[in-house]
Structure formats: structure tokens, C-alpha cells
Amino acid sequence: MALPFSGRKDGLSLSEALPDRSLFILVAMMSFLAALTLTGATGARTLSTRWAGGAAQLLTIQVSEPDQPLAVTSKADKTAQPTRADTVLADLATLPTGTQIHRLTQDELARLLTPWLGDAGKTALPLPAVIEVRLAEGQEAPTNLEQTLDAHVPGTVVEHNAEWSTRLRALAQSLLACAALALATVGGIATMITALATKAGLSTRRDIIKILHGLGATDSYIAGRFAWRTGGLALGGGLLGTLLAMAPLLLLFRMAAPFAASTLQAASTTMPDWRTLPDLLPGDMLIGLAALPFVAAFIGWVTTQFMVRVWLRRLP
């Protein structure tokens, strides 16, 4: 005669012992929060890395009264003299090979100023020329560039963006630390929820477990039954929570797409379409999202194994 615990149905009635619906929903909620936290941290790190790398090689130069001749001594000389902007561009042409120089057009400049000035094309304010200089990777701007440009074209302003690189990296590290703390908190809460659910299931089936244990069911067998049941519920809840998080995540990436632009010219264009999203999705983030359900299942399995074994050892 086969023992009641020798087959697949061991008589524990775990579907009744464990609070299936509540555990499934709670794990799904924890996975949803974990997916948002993981994606937010990864996205912030990716954007800060791109910005920091771009800022270190980027110079922004403003030239007031760009279309005015550099020096005018007479009406005849007015057409012969180069403009202030042309003089700055000529000086920038002496920078090392590989340097990209771009003067923003009036349309690009108007789009950049629209949030502050409205229709910049109709404003009476004199607009300076904005020149973007992107150095080749590993190169640095000459230390006397600002002094040289100001000496040739007085009033020229050079904005060095390299100092933002350190700040952005510090910000990224802070965000990653906060995300790690948040993930640890979510994992701790998931562990506590699983432990409480397991404890409730053990209390509900206390008499049956005692009988099976007396008939020869090992601790490993009973703990395994509970653990696989809990692990399956956690896997399903983790998968549901991760899938539910995809909708807001895609929306966030859609909104973040313009901020991944590497140049002022690209940043001034309209919002990119959905085809640009794969460029913003880091591979490690996708791996992390795919691993979340399995991490939830592992937490549920290990926690249940530990709780059941400790409980069984305390039986008289």
C-alpha cells in the first residue's frame, strides 16, 4: 500500500494551505516596484554616462553681434571685413583634426529658445551666434582658447561643459545607491511576506503534517512541497508584475529619448519615434528585467525551505 505522500498528491492540500491569491498579488506588486526601480536606475546611469561623456568633449561658444564686421574703418571696408562670427569660426578651424564645428542655424536657435521666448523668430532681442564644438575623443581644448577668441573677437563667451561630467557621475552613483537600497527593501518585504504566508500554511496543516511526518515523510520532502508551491506562485507573480511594468516603462523611455541626443543640433529636433527606443534600452537592463521573476521565485523557494525546516525541527 502506497503511503499518502508517495505520489504527486501528498495530502498536504497546499492549494488550501497557502493563501494563493494574496501571495500571488503581493509578489506581483513587489515585482512591479522592483522593475520600475531597476529600470529607473539603469536609465539614469545610461543617460548620465552619455551626457558626461559628451560634456567632457563639448564646448559651446556664444558670439554677440555675430553679423557685424570685426572692425570698420570706413564704408568701403565694411563689406571687406569678416564678421565677428566668421572670425571665431576661422580661429576654431585651427583646432586638432577630428573636431566637429557647427554653427546653429536660425531655425535651430529659434527652437532652442522657444520654451523661454516663445516664437524666437519674432523677437526684437538681438540673438548671439551659438557655435557647438565637439572635440575628438581623448582630446582637450587648448587652455588659452577662451583668451585667444576674446582677444580676436571681444565679448566671445566660451562655456566649458567638462565640469558637468563629474557632477553627472556623482548623481548617477547616488541614484544607483538609492536604487540598490530600494531593491534590497523590496526583497526584504517579499521575504517577510513569503515567510508569513508559509507560517500561515504550516499552522493550517499542522495536524496533517504531523501525521505524514510520523508515517516517515522526511523534512526535505515536506519542505520541498511547500517550497515548490511557493516558488511557483512567486514566479507567476513576478512575471505578471514585470509585464505590467512594461507599459509605463515604454512611456518613460519615449519621454527620455530626446535627452539621449548627443548634440545641440539633435536636441533641437522634434521628439524621435518609437524606432529610436532600442538605442536607449541597455542590454543589462533587459537581462535584469527578465531575471526578476526568477529572483522572486528563488526568494520564495529559499524562504519557504528555511521556514518549513525550522518549523519541523520544533515539532515534538
Side-chain angles (χ1 to χ4, degrees), residues 6-280:
S6 60
R8 294 184 60 186
K9 295 184 179 180
D10 55 10
L12 293 177
S13 301
L14 295 183
S15 60
E16 299 177 7
L18 292 174
D20 290 7
R21 183 176 301 176
S22 60
L23 181 61
F24 181 87
I25 293 176
L26 289 173
V27 173
M29 294 171 62
M30 293 296 101
S31 299
F32 180 84
L33 294 176
L36 292 181
T37 303
L38 177 63
T39 306
T42 306
R45 184 200 63 191
T46 302
L47 288 178
S48 65
T49 300
R50 292 189 181 186
W51 288 346
Q57 308 301 126
L58 182 65
L59 300 175
T60 304
I61 301 173
Q62 298 181 23
V63 185
S64 59
E65 299 181 343
D67 297 325
Q68 294 296 322
L70 181 61
V72 180
T73 57
S74 66
K75 292 184 178 180
D77 292 335
K78 186 173 182 179
T79 57
Q81 291 291 335
T83 63
R84 291 167 54 86
D86 291 338
T87 302
V88 172
L89 290 172
D91 287 340
L92 294 176
T94 61
L95 292 175
T97 304
T99 301
Q100 300 178 8
I101 302 173
H102 172 71
R103 177 181 176 181
L104 270 64
T105 64
Q106 290 297 322
D107 291 339
E108 293 170 343
L109 190 58
R111 281 195 294 268
L112 287 176
L113 297 177
T114 296
W116 294 272
L117 301 180
D119 190 353
K122 298 180 181 179
T123 182
L125 296 174
L127 299 179
V130 178
I131 303 173
E132 180 190 16
V133 178
R134 182 166 295 279
L135 301 171
E137 186 175 357
Q139 293 183 350
E140 296 182 358
T143 55
N144 61 341
L145 177 62
E146 186 171 0
Q147 291 79 4
T148 301
L149 293 179
D150 187 65
H152 292 173
V153 183
T156 301
V157 178
V158 179
E159 295 182 1
H160 295 272
N161 300 314
E163 62 184 33
W164 286 97
S165 178
T166 303
R167 298 181 182 180
L168 289 171
R169 287 193 179 94
L171 175 61
Q173 292 176 356
S174 300
L175 291 174
L176 289 175
C178 292
L181 180 60
L183 288 175
T185 302
V186 171
I189 295 175
T191 301
M192 293 178 61
I193 290 173
T194 304
L196 292 175
T198 303
K199 187 176 181 180
L202 290 171
S203 299
T204 304
R205 289 291 177 259
R206 182 183 181 91
D207 294 337
I208 295 177
I209 293 174
K210 281 185 176 181
I211 295 174
L212 294 177
H213 200 260
L215 292 175
T218 63
D219 292 357
S220 298
Y221 175 82
I222 297 176
R225 286 291 183 174
F226 271 90
W228 284 112
R229 176 68 177 177
T230 305
L233 292 173
L235 178 64
L239 182 60
L240 176 62
T242 303
L243 292 177
L244 290 177
M246 294 306 297
L249 293 181
L250 289 177
L251 179 60
L252 289 175
F253 276 116
R254 168 72 169 173
M255 297 173 61
F259 298 99
S262 59
T263 64
L264 290 176
Q265 183 180 6
S268 64
T269 59
T270 58
M271 182 176 291
D273 56 28
W274 292 99
R275 291 174 295 180
T276 62
L277 290 180
D279 296 334
L280 290 177

